[in-house]
Amino acid sequence: MDFTPTQEQTAARELAARIFGDLSTHERLTAAGTGSDAELWKALCEAGLPAAVEDIGLLGLVLLLEEQGRTTAQVPFAASCVYGLLAVSAHGSARQRERLLPGIADGSVVVTGALPATAVRGGVPGELSGVVPFVPWLRDATHVLVADGEHRLWLVRTADARCEPVESTAPWSAGRLTLDATPAERLGGADAYAHADTDAHTDADADADADAYVDACDEAYEDVLATARTAFAGLQAGVCAGSVARAVAHTNTREQFGRPLAVKQGVQLRAADAHLDTEAIRVTAYEAAWRRDEGLDHAAHALTAAWWASEAGHRVVHAGQHLHGGTGADLEHPVHRHFLWGRQLEAYLGCGSELLQELGETIVRGETEREAERGTEAEPEGRAERGTEGAGDA
């Protein structure tokens, strides 16, 4: 494992840090209210940062999202890169990649996601119905990546659906998505995960085709979900780092009885715990991202990163606000924005106990599959040994 950024990743991170630092100021965020900052989004796209994600990979995206989180910049960067650029690059058809990727790269196409799988269902082929109560950055999006109850992935144009504004804890331009026989395009094209083999002559062939169809649906769905968990964990690492940095600055300048708050042991311990929690979020997100970029299994590692981001993120943003004392209770103070983002990301990634349960199930399933593979490999060897013994007896 080597998380050392490449030159391209480092250059992209430095550029992102400069743009976010210059444009995502407290004054601009206050003026933006609960909406997105269109000027900042335009600057990021003109700098080529969304387009660069295809080259710098998920680890590079996590580095960029850390910089966004430090400033709590109100742009649909994470959603459009995860549910749009990376999902279409990995699982879209050649025609979908040709049609959508240039627009996603230049910001004219913004994609968000309705994941995990929802109660959305298909009726007539190519149409979806159902309601998704909360979709982040829906008000900014031109397309939504929707996962139905069978883990199939669909692209829906927001112009064809009903999108109603929803206010969330953090200013994510969220909305409620209602689909009523809404036209939808299968990610991967109309023939994606085709399971009806016209040449199948037996029930066994038909069963094998159905199994392959389910596996293909699950593989694409699980990859996108794990990628999203990793990316949003990286965003949480940045939010927490920003909160800790503000707390450190405050406790070093704020004095009590003629001494800075930072010299008090209780303050130091609280800040140290918050720093360690932040580093845990960061390193688990880096590992999950690195494994995906290397083509390794990363589902369990993404769940680990999500758990740390949810559980530890909660502790960090509370500590950051607490270390500000009475100032931290001011809703207009910048540290309160980190608190809101941290709690929103905690809710979006999921409850810690649920993530742990899913992680345990994923580990058990992986061990079961490996045991089955070892058994399949051992069976021909056993037959060969019995054949050799029989020949010797003869």
Side-chain angles (χ1 to χ4, degrees), residues 26-372:
H26 176 59
E27 293 73 21
R28 287 177 59 88
L29 291 170
T30 301
T34 61
S36 294
D37 188 333
E39 184 179 340
L40 174 56
W41 179 239
K42 180 180 179 181
L44 292 169
C45 295
E46 288 179 348
L49 288 175
V53 172
E54 196 169 3
D55 297 322
I56 63 178
L58 181 56
L59 180 55
L61 175 60
V62 166
L63 296 174
L64 302 185
L65 292 176
E66 274 193 81
E67 300 306 324
Q68 178 186 357
R70 289 179 197 275
T71 59
T72 60
Q74 294 171 200
V75 287
F77 194 29
S80 200
C81 287
V82 168
Y83 299 122
L85 193 140
L86 292 178
V88 173
S89 296
H91 306 291
S93 66
R95 183 173 296 179
Q96 287 171 337
R97 292 194 297 271
E98 181 181 358
R99 187 178 80 249
L100 294 172
L101 289 181
I104 297 172
D106 66 25
S108 59
V109 174
V110 176
V111 185
T112 187
L115 274 78
T118 63
V120 171
R121 63 193 184 282
V124 175
E127 294 183 354
L128 295 178
S129 295
V131 177
V132 185
F134 178 85
V135 180
W137 289 286
L138 181 63
R139 284 177 269 169
D140 297 336
T142 59
H143 295 72
V144 186
L145 184 66
V146 179
D148 66 16
E150 297 181 13
H151 291 184
R152 295 173 298 185
L153 298 175
W154 303 82
L155 284 166
V156 175
R157 294 173 66 249
T158 54
D160 297 329
R162 187 162 79 250
C163 304
E164 303 165 276
V166 171
E167 295 303 329
S168 54
T169 302
W172 280 11
S173 295
R176 173 188 175 95
L177 179 69
T178 302
L179 305 172
D180 185 8
T182 303
E185 176 184 10
R186 183 79 64 85
L187 184 65
D191 297 328
Y193 328 131
H195 63 288
D197 185 354
T198 55
D199 296 328
H201 298 293
T202 67
D203 290 341
D205 291 335
D207 290 342
D209 290 339
D211 290 341
Y213 163 73
V214 172
D215 290 344
C217 290
D218 286 343
E219 181 180 352
Y221 169 79
E222 289 173 2
D223 175 63
V224 174
L225 182 58
T227 299
R229 283 169 166 161
T230 303
F232 281 95
L235 183 59
Q236 181 76 302
V239 170
C240 291
S243 179
V244 172
R246 290 188 182 278
V248 169
H250 175 78
T251 55
N252 273 284
T253 56
R254 183 78 169 183
E255 292 188 356
Q256 187 178 62
F257 305 116
R259 303 175 66 196
L261 290 172
V263 303
K264 298 182 180 296
Q265 188 178 45
V267 171
Q268 293 173 358
L269 291 173
R270 191 81 193 273
D273 285 342
H275 171 71
L276 289 176
D277 272 337
T278 301
E279 289 302 300
I281 300 170
R282 177 181 287 119
V283 73
T284 51
Y286 283 4
E287 182 180 8
W290 175 83
R291 290 183 67 89
R292 184 189 187 275
D293 290 343
E294 293 296 314
L296 303 173
D297 177 62
H298 61 290
H301 301 79
L303 280 164
T304 302
W307 181 84
W308 274 104
S310 178
E311 290 286 299
H314 175 101
R315 293 194 294 267
V316 172
V317 295
H318 275 264
Q321 194 169 32
H322 186 202
L323 289 171
H324 278 75
T327 307
D330 182 0
L331 301 184
E332 302 300 321
H333 195 280
V335 77
H336 187 67
R337 189 173 290 109
H338 290 271
F339 174 79
L340 296 178
W341 274 71
R343 294 305 305 268
Q344 183 67 63
L345 282 163
E346 175 194 353
Y348 187 65
L349 288 165
C351 171
S353 58
E354 292 177 350
L355 290 169
L356 276 183
Q357 179 179 345
E358 188 175 348
L359 175 60
E361 292 170 352
T362 300
I363 293 172
V364 169
R365 185 167 61 250
E367 287 297 323
T368 302
E369 291 172 355
R370 282 189 285 273
E371 286 291 335

